Amino acid sequence: MFSLSSMLIPAIMFFGLGFLAQLVRSDLKFPPELTKSLSIYLLIGIGIHGGTEIAKVDATSAMGAILVALGLGFGLPVIAYALLCKIVRVDKLNAAAIAAHYGSVSAGTFLTAVAFLDAQKIVYESQPVIMLAIMESPAIIIGLVLANLARNNSGNGHQQRVSRELVHDAFTNGSVMLLLGSMLIGATAQPAALEKITPFFSTMFSGALSLFLLDMGMEASRRIGDFKKVGPSLLVFGIAMPLIGAAVGIVIGHNILGFGVGGITLLATLAASASYIAVPPAMRLAIPEASPALFLTLSLGVTFPFNVALGIPLYYSAAHWITQ
Amino acid sequence: MFSLSSMLIPAIMFFGLGFLAQLVRSDLKFPPELTKSLSIYLLIGIGIHGGTEIAKVDATSAMGAILVALGLGFGLPVIAYALLCKIVRVDKLNAAAIAAHYGSVSAGTFLTAVAFLDAQKIVYESQPVIMLAIMESPAIIIGLVLANLARNNSGNGHQQRVSRELVHDAFTNGSVMLLLGSMLIGATAQPAALEKITPFFSTMFSGALSLFLLDMGMEASRRIGDFKKVGPSLLVFGIAMPLIGAAVGIVIGHNILGFGVGGITLLATLAASASYIAVPPAMRLAIPEASPALFLTLSLGVTFPFNVALGIPLYYSAAHWITQ
Amino acid sequence: MFSLSSMLIPAIMFFGLGFLAQLVRSDLKFPPELTKSLSIYLLIGIGIHGGTEIAKVDATSAMGAILVALGLGFGLPVIAYALLCKIVRVDKLNAAAIAAHYGSVSAGTFLTAVAFLDAQKIVYESQPVIMLAIMESPAIIIGLVLANLARNNSGNGHQQRVSRELVHDAFTNGSVMLLLGSMLIGATAQPAALEKITPFFSTMFSGALSLFLLDMGMEASRRIGDFKKVGPSLLVFGIAMPLIGAAVGIVIGHNILGFGVGGITLLATLAASASYIAVPPAMRLAIPEASPALFLTLSLGVTFPFNVALGIPLYYSAAHWITQ
Amino acid sequence: MRAVKRIEIIIEEIELENVTDELHRIGVAGYTVVPRAWGYGTHGMRQDNNLGMGNVYLVIACDEKQSQQVIEAIRTILRRYGGICLVSDAQWVIHEG
Amino acid sequence: MRAVKRIEIIIEEIELENVTDELHRIGVAGYTVVPRAWGYGTHGMRQDNNLGMGNVYLVIACDEKQSQQVIEAIRTILRRYGGICLVSDAQWVIHEG
Amino acid sequence: MRAVKRIEIIIEEIELENVTDELHRIGVAGYTVVPRAWGYGTHGMRQDNNLGMGNVYLVIACDEKQSQQVIEAIRTILRRYGGICLVSDAQWVIHEG
Ligand SMILES: Nc1ncnc2c1ncn2[C@@H]1O[C@H](COP(=O)(O)O)[C@@H](O)[C@H]1O
Ligand SMILES: Nc1ncnc2c1ncn2[C@@H]1O[C@H](COP(=O)(O)O)[C@@H](O)[C@H]1O
Ligand SMILES: Nc1ncnc2c1ncn2[C@@H]1O[C@H](COP(=O)(O)O)[C@@H](O)[C@H]1O
Ligand code: NA
Ligand code: NA
Ligand code: NA
């Protein structure tokens, strides 16, 4: 069912290499532009692929997946916020900012899960890709709402303007545009013309993902110095929250959406992952009182490597167990 | 002959996605280095491909194409200049700068036309690629000459030095070097060795082009705010001039060069397209009195999207009609 | 055995194109981030390929290659240093800095040699890739030792700290981490998963190399202005030293490691090549008294183009001759 | 040459639009932005990573009176998000006319 | 420390060579160029695009006398192409000797 | 506003860590680094290439006393590797409180 050798896939190994390079203080560095270019490429690639797959899905099950994605996007941050305020005892504004990260998703983690399944030749449903696109936005809005509640008002004039802009940004966000736009292109473009871009966006995809994860390994590892600022109870949260999210995802994937092992694993991964690209700047603008050292260390330094190294195989095992 | 579905090719759709993303003020942004890297890649790719094709063309017809390219490169700016001075009534220096843009060409527009033909499995001659390389330079020189005439002298010492440098630059221009150099490599390298770089420069080409056009869509759309500065009669020029150029290109392609539908469409596109990468900095240096807001908005914000969305299918229809 | 047509391979031709573009003062420029991205990509690609090959080599012969690499890495700089001090009569600190460059290696030169062999369908051993990874570091350390000897002491406090850091850097160097890490991944990853990244890191490799060498041609050519600062005897050294290194490499490859023509050519190329990416900044830090104009002009402006244009075919001919 | 105030501002990239909006509202003659700066301050190290959230470096030359308005506007932004603002004296080389 | 003039120039990238040629002609001891700046001025917004035509930021430390020459040379260039030049006072930390 | 010293340093990228280590040791409140600068000086042209070895531009705002310490520390580094350091006066816009 699950063996160590299932970890020996380039995506995960390159992540480990990056993590190690940074640990031994290597001077290895990616140009920031390469990281950004790779993430643009990966979002388009996943979008096109999702679009061609979705063309085959019937409207009812697509709609079900979208509703579930919205439910998770709005629901998970509320759970995270409650945990953070009541149990971890973080102040409300930091709690709101962190919660928003955990309601949103990490495309890098999702793609690692896809690579994991591919390496083991497990098939999976195509709905999770739409859910990836959908789940980017709601968490940002919930983060805003929670922060405004915490401030006990809807904010002053400046806050309101920022809020309005952020709701706009949540939906016109670069990642969201790329994912949804490419999905549309994948679903509607002439098949013959689409085939011409397949070598670039599909055949090369896994290699480009490995390169991206190499850099993400370095980024995650770079956060280690901030661990002491975060404190033990928040560190526990950074591992407990993905487990809670994954559990919710597994139950919903199995009982509500009726996915197979592959689809359940992907949905669990979505629910377990925390955003570290789109949400941090949004929360920095929305809740300047919150500390980036906290939310970035948790999402990027704790939850992301946990999911890549341990979480994904674990969620897969659980998905395997529940479907038997 | 032409249907809406012929527009559903990724190259055009990604251009549209970029245009839209910018319209809704998405925060999507390409690193400038990615744009530059893609344009280097595309020029080399098109050059190599052209070189291998040209090796098959006989010298006479290649020479004919080169002469026509020179004729268009020197002739079109004069037509544009006359129109701008007499009918649109722009001052002479702005007219010279704008005219130079319309005499030169846009590789992005040319490649979109190629993708358009490919998607419909229309064959085309290989001479237009040489013409693309040739037509970069003459327009810059004509722009200079027109500006010097407008200034009613050959310029002061500084102007003369700038002119001398620009003539040098017109021929050692990065795009020209890349196109001609790769063409030479494509035409002369060992076939077996050339095959080893085919996956990179040829198989991946269409995908990379889509990525490039996504960014170009954003760039074009970014110009919309400047429309009011340009004024209605110049806006009309930005659509009329490509139509004039295309008509000239179609007649020459059909009657002089004897191309088929594909080659005529490509030549029309070359003649219709306006430069927005190589010529703007050259004209900024050569004619500092001219306003970049005018020439960039026209070439990048009006003519480029017009050609991509409407022009190319139109030129194709006309080429189809003339060859019947 | 060797003909001019063997030079007509894209890798070499693109190097020539870059060299020429810079000579005619074209405005062609690569974004620095593209150069860095390509070199990251190439190191990973060569590492993965080497790793899969090395999995097939028996431990004894791998160990032999590693020992020879260490021997060359420590030995060549000593030869270079002696020549520079005794014959060329450079001051000791400049001699130490230059010597370190010649003990280390140039991945670009190595890959050009691989492309050269591939184009002629010559097979080669897989050990040279490990040697490439190993030979990066020792030369830096020897450079440090020679400089400390030249300073007649182990340096003041600052110097000692710099030395300690440089020894660390020599082994955690980005190139070394990427090469060794990817080799490990290539050797141990699941074959099925590895196959998924093959299109990116292997099929596209030659094309990406051509792009990289285009820029390296420009970089090399850019050094021409500094030739006069270098002086004739150092220029001679820049050509004599690779010949000496190659001779050593050929003899060792043939007599000690028992390589065939391909492997001998590659080892000769390693021994003949001089670093121009990893070593220059290390020497700048370690020996601030030494002049970058000297060591960069020699390694990048003299030895690199010499090896690409003349050295590699020459070493190949010699390898051919010795194995007959 | 004309005596002007030289205002330099270092802020997070994401706040840049807030600042330039203010500058346009105040009506300064111009400003310059140098992107991709990073640094250290009361909020700790800001970006040596590749995931965005870096700083930008802004320079504005303006007359004394406008500089007061810029300083007031910038102060509220800095109070909220951090960053620094330095003001010094300079001579602006006049090239018109 | 030595009192010097600190000249900062913001111009379009394409004119940079014009300026550095002048600087070499005048014989300044050095200069520094920060590329990829963008900004707003009398010519409107200059580059928030990816197609080139951005600004560069140039800093030159030199003595009073050379600063006069630089200012004269730069003035003709600015008149033609736009851009700005600010001059201020600074102390140069001497490290030789 | 508080009167401060504005220290600007231009050095090779590879020495940057040496400098920031010193700045942290001295305990300055902050600093800003603008990467990818290039320039000309006593060591000739430094980088117009793509192989690394460029300069960085560093700005530090600090009080008079700390500025003395920074200058002393930087002087040894400049003596070894080259680069320049300029010191000028500025007003720091205070935003706290
Ligand atoms: N004293 C200082 N000198 C120069 N730059 C500073 C200073 N303090 C802060 N900065 C810059 O301003 C940014 C934000 O500062 P802060 O909000 O204090 O963290 C930092 O990341 C630095 O780039
Ligand atoms: N007042 C100003 N303060 C700072 N930078 C300016 C100012 N005016 C112009 N600039 C810069 O100089 C460039 C050219 O100015 P201009 O020629 O006036 O458009 C602009 O794009 C800005 O980057
Ligand atoms: N007078 C100067 N004005 C501005 N920047 C300078 C000056 N002198 C040197 N620099 C910068 O400092 C770097 C190192 O200087 P140097 O060590 O003198 O070669 C140069 O590459 C320039 O970027
Ligand atoms: Na989540
Ligand atoms: Na044209
Ligand atoms: Na060597």
Side-chain angles (χ1 to χ4, degrees):
Chain A
M1 182 175 110
F2 164 67
S3 70
L4 238 175
S5 91
S6 65
M7 305 291 295
L8 292 180
I9 62 174
I12 298 178
M13 295 175 92
F14 274 106
F15 184 87
L17 177 59
F19 206 92
L20 179 77
Q22 185 61 30
L23 268 190
V24 302
R25 294 185 302 113
S26 166
D27 67 347
L28 179 60
K29 241 181 215 143
F30 269 45
E33 290 76 14
L34 175 56
T35 312
K36 276 175 212 142
S37 303
L38 284 170
S39 76
I40 291 171
Y41 166 85
L42 293 171
L43 288 170
I44 297 178
I46 197 177
I48 293 176
H49 177 73
T52 55
E53 290 296 310
I54 270 155
K56 304 173 197 159
V57 170
D58 63 295
T60 332
S61 79
M63 196 43 82
I66 290 175
L67 288 178
V68 165
L70 289 173
L72 287 173
F74 285 114
L76 287 174
V78 175
I79 300 179
Y81 183 74
L83 281 177
L84 286 164
C85 289
K86 303 291 167 194
I87 299 187
V88 188
R89 300 203 165 278
V90 176
D91 67 286
K92 287 179 174 179
L93 290 172
N94 270 308
I98 298 172
H101 287 73
Y102 282 84
S104 186
V105 288
S106 144
T109 313
F110 179 78
L111 291 173
T112 308
V114 170
F116 178 87
L117 295 176
D118 281 344
Q120 305 188 65
K121 313 222 180 296
I122 313 283
V123 296
Y124 41 87
E125 283 76 11
S126 52
Q127 289 92 323
V129 182
I130 328 181
M131 303 177 83
L132 170 69
I134 302 289
M135 286 176 75
E136 291 265 346
S137 319
I140 294 177
I141 292 163
I142 285 291
L144 264 172
V145 172
L146 292 174
N148 283 345
L149 287 177
R151 287 197 196 94
N152 232 330
N153 60 30
S154 62
N156 54 20
H158 172 79
Q159 284 301 347
Q160 283 179 349
R161 197 162 54 77
V162 166
S163 296
R164 235 176 303 119
E165 277 170 24
L166 275 169
V167 173
H168 170 265
D169 291 356
F171 290 105
T172 61
N173 190 294
S175 319
V176 173
M177 295 288 302
L178 284 178
L179 273 171
L180 292 182
S182 322
M183 236 177 248
L184 195 72
I185 293 174
T188 61
Q190 287 180 37
L194 206 56
E195 235 162 62
K196 299 213 72 169
I197 65 170
T198 303
F200 185 73
F201 285 115
S202 169
T203 318
M204 310 224 319
F205 193 84
S206 299
L209 175 64
S210 293
L211 204 54
F212 180 72
L213 288 173
L214 173 55
D215 187 38
M216 288 303 105
M218 291 192 272
E219 299 297 339
S221 181
R222 208 161 276 156
R223 292 276 137 201
I224 280 186
D226 285 340
F227 271 6
K228 42 186 171 294
K229 292 187 205 156
V230 169
S233 54
L234 260 177
L235 287 179
V236 170
F237 172 85
I239 290 172
M241 189 61 212
L243 292 175
I244 295 170
V248 173
I250 289 169
V251 169
I252 291 180
H254 181 58
N255 296 333
I256 300 188
L257 296 172
F259 285 170
V261 177
I264 295 176
T265 307
L266 292 184
L267 183 54
T269 304
L270 281 180
S273 74
S275 168
Y276 49 81
I277 294 188
V279 177
M283 286 303 113
R284 178 83 187 105
L285 266 185
I287 318 179
E289 304 90 338
S291 159
L294 292 191
F295 57 68
L296 274 178
T297 304
L298 279 178
S299 67
L300 184 55
V302 180
T303 300
F304 180 37
F306 169 74
N307 276 330
V308 167
L310 301 176
I312 293 170
L314 190 67
Y315 312 150
Y316 167 66
S317 304
H320 203 269
W321 173 84
I322 207 175
T323 52
Q324 264 171 348
Chain B
M1 186 176 107
F2 164 69
S3 70
L4 236 176
S5 91
S6 66
M7 306 290 297
L8 292 179
I9 62 173
I12 298 178
M13 295 175 91
F14 274 106
F15 184 87
L17 177 58
F19 206 92
L20 179 78
Q22 185 62 30
L23 268 191
V24 301
R25 295 187 302 113
S26 165
D27 68 349
L28 179 60
K29 242 182 217 143
F30 268 45
E33 290 76 13
L34 176 56
T35 312
K36 278 175 212 143
S37 302
L38 285 170
S39 75
I40 291 172
Y41 165 86
L42 293 171
L43 289 170
I44 296 178
I46 197 176
I48 293 177
H49 177 73
T52 56
E53 291 296 310
I54 270 155
K56 305 173 196 159
V57 169
D58 64 295
T60 332
S61 79
M63 196 43 82
I66 290 175
L67 288 177
V68 165
L70 289 173
L72 287 173
F74 284 114
L76 287 174
V78 174
I79 300 179
Y81 183 74
L83 281 177
L84 286 163
C85 290
K86 303 290 167 196
I87 301 186
V88 188
R89 301 202 163 278
V90 176
D91 66 287
K92 287 180 173 179
L93 290 172
N94 270 309
I98 298 171
H101 286 74
Y102 282 84
S104 186
V105 288
S106 144
T109 313
F110 178 79
L111 291 172
T112 308
V114 169
F116 177 88
L117 295 176
D118 281 344
Q120 304 188 66
K121 313 224 180 294
I122 313 284
V123 295
Y124 41 86
E125 284 76 11
S126 51
Q127 288 93 322
V129 182
I130 328 181
M131 304 177 82
L132 170 69
I134 301 290
M135 286 177 75
E136 291 265 345
S137 319
I140 294 177
I141 292 163
I142 285 292
L144 264 172
V145 171
L146 292 173
N148 283 343
L149 287 176
R151 287 197 197 93
N152 232 330
N153 60 32
S154 64
N156 54 21
H158 172 80
Q159 283 301 346
Q160 283 180 349
R161 197 163 52 77
V162 165
S163 296
R164 235 174 303 119
E165 277 170 23
L166 275 169
V167 173
H168 170 263
D169 291 356
F171 290 105
T172 61
N173 190 293
S175 319
V176 174
M177 295 288 302
L178 285 179
L179 274 171
L180 292 182
S182 322
M183 236 179 248
L184 195 72
I185 293 175
T188 61
Q190 287 180 39
L194 206 55
E195 237 163 60
K196 299 214 70 170
I197 65 170
T198 302
F200 185 72
F201 285 115
S202 170
T203 318
M204 309 224 320
F205 192 85
S206 299
L209 175 64
S210 294
L211 203 54
F212 180 73
L213 287 173
L214 173 55
D215 188 38
M216 287 303 105
M218 290 191 272
E219 299 296 338
S221 181
R222 208 161 277 157
R223 292 274 135 202
I224 280 186
D226 284 340
F227 271 7
K228 43 187 171 298
K229 291 187 207 157
V230 169
S233 56
L234 260 178
L235 286 179
V236 170
F237 172 85
I239 289 173
M241 188 60 212
L243 292 174
I244 295 170
V248 173
I250 288 169
V251 169
I252 292 181
H254 181 58
N255 297 333
I256 301 189
L257 296 172
F259 285 170
V261 177
I264 295 176
T265 307
L266 292 183
L267 183 54
T269 304
L270 281 180
S273 74
S275 168
Y276 48 81
I277 295 188
V279 177
M283 284 305 112
R284 179 81 188 108
L285 266 184
I287 317 180
E289 304 90 337
S291 158
L294 293 191
F295 56 69
L296 274 178
T297 303
L298 280 179
S299 67
L300 184 55
V302 180
T303 301
F304 180 37
F306 169 74
N307 276 330
V308 167
L310 301 175
I312 294 171
L314 190 67
Y315 312 151
Y316 166 68
S317 305
H320 204 269
W321 174 83
I322 206 174
T323 53
Q324 264 170 349
Chain C
M1 185 176 109
F2 164 69
S3 70
L4 238 175
S5 91
S6 66
M7 306 289 296
L8 291 180
I9 61 174
I12 298 178
M13 294 174 91
F14 274 105
F15 184 88
L17 177 58
F19 206 92
L20 179 78
Q22 185 62 30
L23 268 191
V24 302
R25 294 187 302 111
S26 165
D27 67 349
L28 179 60
K29 243 182 214 141
F30 269 45
E33 291 75 14
L34 175 56
T35 313
K36 277 176 211 142
S37 303
L38 284 170
S39 77
I40 290 172
Y41 166 85
L42 293 172
L43 288 170
I44 296 178
I46 197 178
I48 293 176
H49 177 72
T52 56
E53 290 296 310
I54 269 155
K56 305 173 196 159
V57 170
D58 63 295
T60 331
S61 79
M63 197 41 84
I66 289 175
L67 288 177
V68 165
L70 289 173
L72 287 172
F74 285 114
L76 287 174
V78 175
I79 299 179
Y81 183 74
L83 280 177
L84 286 163
C85 290
K86 303 290 166 193
I87 299 187
V88 187
R89 299 204 164 279
V90 176
D91 66 288
K92 288 179 173 178
L93 290 173
N94 270 308
I98 298 172
H101 287 74
Y102 282 84
S104 186
V105 288
S106 144
T109 313
F110 178 79
L111 291 172
T112 308
V114 169
F116 177 88
L117 295 176
D118 281 345
Q120 304 188 66
K121 312 224 181 295
I122 312 283
V123 295
Y124 40 87
E125 283 77 11
S126 51
Q127 288 92 323
V129 182
I130 328 181
M131 304 177 82
L132 170 68
I134 302 289
M135 286 177 74
E136 291 265 348
S137 319
I140 294 176
I141 292 163
I142 285 292
L144 263 173
V145 171
L146 291 174
N148 284 344
L149 287 176
R151 286 196 196 94
N152 231 331
N153 60 29
S154 62
N156 55 21
H158 172 79
Q159 284 299 348
Q160 284 180 348
R161 196 161 54 77
V162 166
S163 296
R164 236 176 301 119
E165 276 169 23
L166 275 169
V167 172
H168 170 264
D169 291 355
F171 290 106
T172 61
N173 190 294
S175 319
V176 173
M177 295 288 302
L178 284 179
L179 273 171
L180 293 181
S182 322
M183 236 178 249
L184 195 72
I185 293 174
T188 61
Q190 288 180 39
L194 206 54
E195 236 162 63
K196 299 214 71 170
I197 65 171
T198 302
F200 185 73
F201 285 115
S202 170
T203 318
M204 309 223 319
F205 193 84
S206 299
L209 175 64
S210 293
L211 203 54
F212 180 73
L213 287 173
L214 173 55
D215 188 38
M216 288 303 106
M218 291 192 272
E219 300 296 338
S221 182
R222 209 161 276 158
R223 293 274 136 201
I224 279 186
D226 284 340
F227 272 6
K228 42 186 171 296
K229 291 187 206 156
V230 168
S233 55
L234 260 177
L235 287 179
V236 170
F237 173 85
I239 290 173
M241 189 60 211
L243 293 175
I244 295 171
V248 173
I250 289 170
V251 169
I252 292 182
H254 182 58
N255 297 333
I256 300 189
L257 296 173
F259 285 170
V261 176
I264 296 176
T265 307
L266 292 183
L267 183 53
T269 303
L270 281 180
S273 74
S275 168
Y276 49 81
I277 294 187
V279 176
M283 285 304 112
R284 179 81 188 108
L285 266 185
I287 318 181
E289 303 91 339
S291 158
L294 293 190
F295 56 70
L296 274 178
T297 304
L298 280 178
S299 66
L300 184 55
V302 181
T303 300
F304 180 37
F306 169 74
N307 276 329
V308 167
L310 300 175
I312 293 170
L314 191 67
Y315 311 151
Y316 167 66
S317 305
H320 204 269
W321 173 83
I322 207 176
T323 53
Q324 264 171 349
Chain D
M1 305 225 283
R2 190 205 305 161
V4 290
K5 289 291 174 187
R6 179 186 180 282
I7 306 178
E8 60 193 324
I9 300 172
I10 297 157
I11 43 157
E12 262 181 285
E13 202 181 322
I14 50 169
E15 304 152 41
L16 177 60
E17 223 183 293
N18 284 338
V19 177
T20 52
D21 283 355
E22 289 295 331
L23 296 179
H24 285 291
R25 195 183 52 72
I26 292 167
V28 298
Y31 57 81
T32 296
V33 177
V34 180
R36 308 187 215 184
W38 55 273
Y40 174 79
T42 51
H43 289 86
M45 191 63 92
R46 188 163 292 157
Q47 179 181 44
D48 54 339
N49 79 37
N50 283 356
L51 302 169
M53 303 196 71
N55 293 329
V56 295
Y57 181 88
L58 233 143
V59 184
I60 306 144
C62 61
D63 60 34
E64 168 84 47
K65 211 181 124 225
Q66 277 192 326
S67 81
Q68 292 304 328
Q69 293 175 270
V70 173
I71 291 167
E72 273 332 297
I74 203 73
R75 197 170 256 150
T76 14
I77 298 179
L78 295 182
R79 197 169 291 143
R80 203 145 28 215
Y81 298 108
I84 72 164
C85 175
L86 301 178
V87 183
S88 54
D89 292 307
Q91 297 290 321
W92 189 340
V93 175
I94 302 302
H95 58 272
E96 298 97 3
Chain E
M1 306 225 285
R2 190 205 306 161
V4 288
K5 289 290 173 188
R6 179 185 179 283
I7 306 178
E8 59 193 325
I9 300 171
I10 297 158
I11 43 156
E12 263 183 284
E13 202 181 321
I14 50 168
E15 304 151 40
L16 177 59
E17 224 182 292
N18 284 339
V19 177
T20 52
D21 283 354
E22 289 295 333
L23 296 179
H24 285 290
R25 195 184 52 72
I26 292 167
V28 299
Y31 57 82
T32 297
V33 178
V34 180
R36 306 185 216 185
W38 56 273
Y40 174 79
T42 51
H43 289 87
M45 191 63 92
R46 187 163 294 156
Q47 178 181 43
D48 54 338
N49 77 37
N50 282 357
L51 301 170
M53 304 196 69
N55 293 331
V56 295
Y57 181 88
L58 233 143
V59 184
I60 307 144
C62 61
D63 59 36
E64 168 84 47
K65 212 180 121 222
Q66 278 192 327
S67 81
Q68 292 304 329
Q69 294 175 268
V70 173
I71 291 167
E72 273 331 297
I74 204 72
R75 198 170 256 152
T76 14
I77 298 178
L78 295 182
R79 198 170 291 145
R80 203 146 27 218
Y81 298 108
I84 72 165
C85 174
L86 301 178
V87 184
S88 54
D89 291 307
Q91 297 291 320
W92 189 339
V93 175
I94 302 301
H95 57 272
E96 297 97 3
Chain F
M1 304 226 283
R2 189 205 304 161
V4 289
K5 289 291 172 186
R6 180 185 179 283
I7 306 178
E8 60 192 323
I9 300 171
I10 297 157
I11 43 156
E12 263 183 284
E13 202 181 322
I14 50 169
E15 303 152 42
L16 177 60
E17 223 182 294
N18 284 339
V19 177
T20 52
D21 283 354
E22 288 296 331
L23 295 180
H24 285 290
R25 194 183 53 71
I26 291 167
V28 299
Y31 56 83
T32 297
V33 178
V34 180
R36 308 187 216 183
W38 56 273
Y40 174 79
T42 50
H43 289 86
M45 192 62 92
R46 187 162 295 155
Q47 179 181 42
D48 53 338
N49 78 37
N50 283 357
L51 302 169
M53 303 196 70
N55 292 331
V56 295
Y57 181 87
L58 233 143
V59 183
I60 306 145
C62 61
D63 59 35
E64 168 85 47
K65 213 182 121 223
Q66 278 192 326
S67 82
Q68 292 304 330
Q69 292 176 269
V70 173
I71 291 167
E72 272 331 298
I74 204 72
R75 197 170 257 152
T76 13
I77 298 178
L78 295 182
R79 197 169 293 144
R80 203 146 27 218
Y81 298 108
I84 72 164
C85 175
L86 301 177
V87 184
S88 53
D89 292 307
Q91 298 291 320
W92 189 339
V93 175
I94 301 301
H95 56 273
E96 298 98 3

